[in-house]
Amino acid sequence: MDATMQAVRAEMSTTGTDPLTGPGIDVRLSLLPGGRGRLHTAISRVTLGDWSATLLNRELLAFAAD
């Protein structure tokens, strides 16, 4: 994993989402060599419950696979 991706992960894991002041959902894309990408998601459980967050991630992965 390169330094840029580590920086994105570190920022997302320490800042978190805030449903009161926003955003309740944080979605970022890291572009990788070879036309690939990695999708990073952070979702407040207040904004979306566990079931809804799982469904959203599943839909995002299915969309990315197309």
Side-chain angles (χ1 to χ4, degrees):
M1 181 179 335
D2 70 359
T4 304
M5 195 174 311
Q6 287 178 341
V8 169
R9 283 186 164 189
E11 180 184 347
M12 290 181 75
S13 67
T14 56
T15 58
T17 58
D18 186 350
L20 298 177
T21 60
I25 299 174
D26 187 3
V27 180
R28 302 181 194 192
L29 176 65
S30 294
L31 299 177
L32 302 172
R36 300 178 320 145
R38 176 158 297 167
L39 189 65
H40 308 270
T41 61
I43 302 170
S44 167
R45 288 191 172 159
V46 173
T47 304
L48 289 175
D50 290 334
W51 181 84
S52 298
T54 301
L55 180 62
L56 175 62
N57 280 325
R58 188 178 313 144
E59 292 293 323
L60 287 171
L61 290 169
F63 180 71
D66 281 346

